[in-house]
Amino acid sequence: MGMFILGDVYYSMKNGLKWVMFLFLLLLISGTVSAAATIDVYYTDSGNHPVAQVPVGETIASNIVVTGDENPATNVVVEQSFHNNNQWTNDKNYYTSLDGGNTWTKNPSTVTTRSDGFTWQIGTVLSHQKAILRWPGTPVTPGYEVMNVQLYIDQLLAGSDTTNLTITSVSTPSGSTSKTVAMQKTGFPLIFLVLGLALLSGGLIFSKGSKN
């Protein structure tokens, strides 16, 4: 009798362990959490209009926006990475806003830079709260840039986004191409100038001969 009881206990524990392992593997495979926030990334021009192509020398801004949904989210972290083949200048300052852009903080301690991007540790995002990270920059060479962002909530991936930017060479304004300027007419043909000099010279010689 005792052997049957032990067998039943063993069988129950074995089945329970299977379910625990199944749930654990399912969590590892998915690696995501039901999003309590969304993330967007895009570029804007000086008028705050979204852009996907700019010429060399035009200052633009890169933007990451995290928006909370109906439920608050805790331990919110953004990982940013990029790949490009061009060079930038004036791109070392970061600005964050936790109230949808009403107030800004320059170079906050929540942003930690790396050689291939940065980490933005937001913390808690309340219901319908909008957190923004923005940094300006000026491309100095033509090329392209691809930026990727991942949103983590409680160390689980909750969302991601990607954007692309094309940097073109500075175009030459219409009508600014240099042209050869033609010689202007003086209104006095060269032949008459030669004749005038000849007559003047002949007159001088004639005048000199008549005196002798």
Side-chain angles (χ1 to χ4, degrees):
M1 183 69 178
M3 292 296 295
F4 288 109
I5 295 176
L6 290 176
D8 291 340
V9 172
Y10 173 76
Y11 182 76
S12 299
M13 292 179 62
K14 186 176 180 180
N15 285 339
L17 184 60
K18 286 182 179 179
W19 278 107
V20 171
M21 292 298 296
F22 174 76
L23 292 175
F24 179 73
L25 290 174
L26 184 63
L27 182 61
L28 287 179
I29 293 173
S30 63
T32 61
V33 63
S34 297
T38 58
I39 187 168
D40 296 288
V41 58
Y42 52 91
Y43 301 94
T44 53
D45 59 15
S46 58
N48 203 30
H49 303 116
V51 293
Q53 178 175 306
V54 295
V56 167
E58 180 174 330
T59 299
I60 63 172
S62 303
N63 305 267
I64 298 175
V65 180
V66 175
T67 306
D69 65 5
E70 299 292 339
N71 303 309
T74 58
N75 194 19
V76 179
V77 178
V78 173
E79 295 287 351
Q80 183 260 17
S81 61
F82 66 90
H83 175 71
N84 63 14
N85 67 347
N86 69 305
Q87 297 179 342
W88 292 75
T89 187
N90 302 324
D91 59 342
K92 303 302 182 183
N93 293 316
Y94 296 87
Y95 301 84
T96 59
S97 174
L98 300 179
D99 55 8
N102 293 319
T103 58
W104 296 87
T105 301
K106 182 179 179 180
N107 295 328
S109 59
T110 54
V111 178
T112 305
T113 59
R114 308 183 308 271
S115 60
D116 62 339
F118 58 77
T119 300
W120 179 25
Q121 297 179 345
I122 303 176
T124 300
V125 175
L126 302 177
S127 174
H128 302 296
Q129 180 183 358
K130 181 177 289 186
I132 306 172
L133 173 59
R134 177 176 297 167
W135 65 103
T138 306
V140 294
T141 58
Y144 68 90
E145 179 172 280
V146 180
M147 182 161 47
N148 304 292
V149 291
Q150 294 83 36
L151 174 66
Y152 292 89
I153 299 177
D154 291 327
Q155 300 181 350
L156 294 177
L157 182 63
S160 63
D161 195 16
T162 301
T163 189
N164 306 289
L165 181 70
T166 301
I167 300 98
T168 61
S169 300
V170 178
S171 59
T172 303
S174 177
S176 64
T177 305
S178 59
K179 297 180 180 179
T180 302
V181 179
M183 294 184 64
Q184 300 295 319
K185 295 182 179 180
T186 61
F188 193 81
L190 184 61
I191 185 64
F192 293 121
L193 179 61
V194 173
L195 289 175
L197 291 175
L199 291 174
L200 179 61
S201 176
L204 291 175
I205 295 173
F206 177 78
S207 175
K208 185 176 179 181
S210 63
K211 287 182 179 180
N212 293 333

